[in-house]
Amino acid sequence: MTSRATDTTALAPDGPAAPGSTALDPAVAARLKRDADGLVPAIAQQYGTGEVLMLGWMDDEALHRTLTTGRCTYWSRSRREYWVKGDTSGHVQRVRSVALDCDADTILVTVEQTGAACHTGARTCFDADVLLTDGDQ
């Protein structure tokens, strides 16, 4: 494992870690369907209520860190680095469960969210622009 695997803010040299370059279980890595940048969308959902909190991006390394540390680790596409939710804001996501969807192209992380999940300070990233409510058209 590289030093990047223990440093939660280390910059990957050429973007996210390449598939198979982490300690992620090879059987899980083989199932993941990544986008052209090697990323998989990861939905964070509140444990107990089912509230959808946010969407982030994970590569194999971020998923491995999430599974082994119990804290959500994402790949920041804009900063091009790994980030652990809550390290700077205090708005921590403690992992309760991690699942792949039926196509293995989306990760669902059930978390206990402390504080806001959205970078705007809102509880969820999905409350500002509601396009449809209760089937109203």
Side-chain angles (χ1 to χ4, degrees):
M1 190 179 315
T2 66
S3 62
R4 188 171 39 132
T6 57
D7 179 359
T8 58
T9 60
L11 183 64
D14 297 315
S21 66
T22 70
L24 183 63
D25 179 332
V28 174
R31 292 185 56 211
L32 288 177
K33 293 181 183 158
R34 302 162 192 82
D35 70 8
D37 295 320
L39 301 171
V40 178
I43 300 167
Q45 181 181 43
Q46 177 62 45
Y47 173 76
T49 68
E51 178 184 28
V52 176
L53 300 171
M54 61 171 278
L55 175 117
W57 296 90
M58 292 185 182
D59 65 356
D60 290 22
E61 180 64 21
L63 179 55
H64 170 69
R65 292 181 191 190
T66 298
L67 292 169
T68 58
T69 67
R71 300 264 315 275
C72 283
T73 301
Y74 300 99
W75 173 257
S76 171
R77 296 177 302 164
S78 60
R79 294 188 315 262
R80 302 196 52 78
E81 65 184 11
Y82 294 105
W83 57 280
V84 178
K85 183 68 173 169
D87 270 2
T88 57
S89 67
H91 300 162
V92 175
Q93 292 178 342
R94 299 251 179 241
V95 176
R96 293 296 302 250
S97 68
V98 179
L100 296 177
D101 76 337
C102 58
D103 296 321
D105 63 0
T106 305
I107 300 165
L108 178 63
V109 186
T110 304
V111 301
E112 290 181 11
Q113 177 72 48
T114 301
C118 187
H119 72 280
T120 65
R123 168 84 182 147
T124 172
C125 294
F126 295 99
D127 64 353
D129 291 317
V130 178
L131 304 178
L132 182 69
T133 304
D134 295 330
D136 294 335
Q137 297 180 12

